[in-house]
Amino acid sequence: MKTPVLEINNLHVTYGKVEALHGASIAVGAGQIVTVIGPNGAGKSTMLNAIAGALATNASTTGAVLLRGVDVSTWPVEQRVAHGMSLVPESRDLFTTMSVEDNLLLGSYTRYKRRDRKYAEELEVVYDLFPRLRERRLQAAGTMSGGERQMVALGRALMAKPALLMLDEPSLGLAPLIVKEIFHIIVRLKETGVAILLVEQNARAALQAADYAYVLETGEVVMEGPASDMANDPRVIDTYLGLNKKTA
Ligand SMILES: Nc1ncnc2c1ncn2[C@@H]1O[C@H](COP(=O)(O)OP(=O)(O)O)[C@@H](O)[C@H]1O
Ligand SMILES: [Mg+2]
């Protein structure tokens, strides 16, 4: 098998005395969308932040994070970004008073530092994916709608030309129709060749978009399998896809 784009082995994360991740292991293959679903507090953001090297200062961690076959687990955030990972955090973290285009250009900062000045081409790629951002490129990011802000955050992450794109609950706070639109775009992103790790409470949308899925509960991977199998698994249906569980 080809080397996965991302592999984490036996990842533990502790905040003070509280262990939030108890030895999680996952892999994301080339060209795949892999999802980690689980309820609020399961440790999903903790997992992404540990992979990105962006955990809170009170956290300690053990275990391996391999990006394109290289153990990056002791590297600082910026070096991991330069090696090909990009995280869209739950908070989106836009510069609200800056224009859409300036927010996007900031995403190519690490490439700029590497003297890779081809970000104008990437800007066109992002504008082709999100025509609405092209129309609104001079608008202050903070005045955009929730869905549009998520597009800016996604676009900014893509400006770094990542090998691995990590998305922390892209559906959070968005109306169902907008969630649909964002997930359509996420599936289309696969065509650009980027591997995607998608963390979601919205199991229904995530399992539809993903190739492979893990279920995370209280810091442990309790189930895994092809996303379509998981969507038909009675336990997953019962816990995450039941009639009244549209967003849980
Ligand atoms: N900086 C922190 N300090 C202490 N506890 C934290 C911190 N961040 C997260 N936690 C705890 O770790 C657990 C997992 O949180 P999180 O990773 O945010 O879950 P999820 O993203 O699945 O909702 C929760 O119990 C949460 O309260
Ligand atoms: Mg979270």
Side-chain angles (χ1 to χ4, degrees):
M1 197 182 115
K2 269 182 73 182
T3 310
V5 178
L6 174 78
E7 210 176 341
I8 67 172
N9 292 320
N10 201 19
L11 200 63
H12 289 258
V13 176
T14 310
Y15 297 107
K17 286 191 180 130
V18 181
E19 195 170 60
L21 217 53
H22 319 291
S25 299
I26 73 164
V28 182
Q32 269 193 326
I33 299 181
V34 172
T35 190
V36 174
I37 57 172
N40 195 18
K44 302 182 299 299
S45 296
T46 296
M47 181 189 280
L48 288 194
N49 290 330
I51 294 168
L55 280 168
T57 48
N58 63 339
S60 60
T61 177
T62 62
V65 177
L66 281 82
L67 181 63
R68 298 154 71 206
V70 179
D71 189 339
V72 301
S73 52
T74 60
W75 295 11
V77 180
E78 205 185 50
Q79 206 179 341
R80 299 189 200 200
V81 172
H83 194 60
M85 65 165 73
S86 210
L87 167 66
V88 179
E90 202 174 288
S91 58
R92 274 71 138 168
D93 279 358
L94 299 181
F95 294 89
T96 52
T97 60
M98 287 171 48
S99 71
V100 166
E101 186 151 298
D102 284 345
N103 269 280
L104 293 176
L105 287 171
L106 273 172
S108 52
Y109 175 69
T110 52
R111 289 174 63 198
Y112 183 82
K113 289 218 319 190
R114 276 179 282 146
R115 305 192 188 285
D116 173 0
R117 302 286 150 91
K118 289 199 196 132
Y119 45 83
E121 287 169 22
E122 205 55 31
L123 195 58
E124 283 309 305
V125 171
V126 169
Y127 282 150
D128 287 345
L129 274 166
F130 305 99
R132 204 169 324 160
L133 298 189
R134 192 198 304 273
E135 286 164 28
R136 305 282 176 95
R137 65 183 186 280
L138 301 178
Q139 189 173 325
T143 64
M144 308 278 279
S145 72
E148 289 165 348
R149 283 204 298 273
Q150 184 59 257
M151 290 176 197
V152 177
L154 272 167
R156 187 180 54 183
L158 291 171
M159 288 294 290
K161 277 200 126 186
L164 174 72
L165 179 65
M166 297 188 285
L167 307 174
D168 196 349
E169 303 221 32
S171 77
L172 200 73
L174 302 181
L177 220 56
I178 312 295
V179 172
K180 243 188 181 149
E181 192 181 346
I182 294 287
F183 274 76
H184 272 302
I185 293 166
I186 291 170
V187 172
R188 275 186 58 205
L189 286 180
K190 272 210 316 191
E191 294 161 21
T192 69
V194 67
I196 297 172
L197 177 55
L198 168 68
V199 151
E200 266 294 347
Q201 266 191 76
N202 188 334
R204 189 182 305 275
L207 291 176
Q208 263 169 26
D211 301 297
Y212 198 84
Y214 297 87
V215 178
L216 191 70
E217 286 174 2
T218 55
E220 275 174 271
V221 173
V222 294
M223 290 177 80
E224 67 176 277
S228 50
D229 292 0
M230 299 290 273
N232 290 311
D233 184 285
R235 215 193 120 211
V236 174
I237 292 171
D238 204 38
T239 315
Y240 297 104
L241 304 174
L243 281 178
N244 300 317
K245 304 262 172 55
K246 286 211 174 77
T247 56

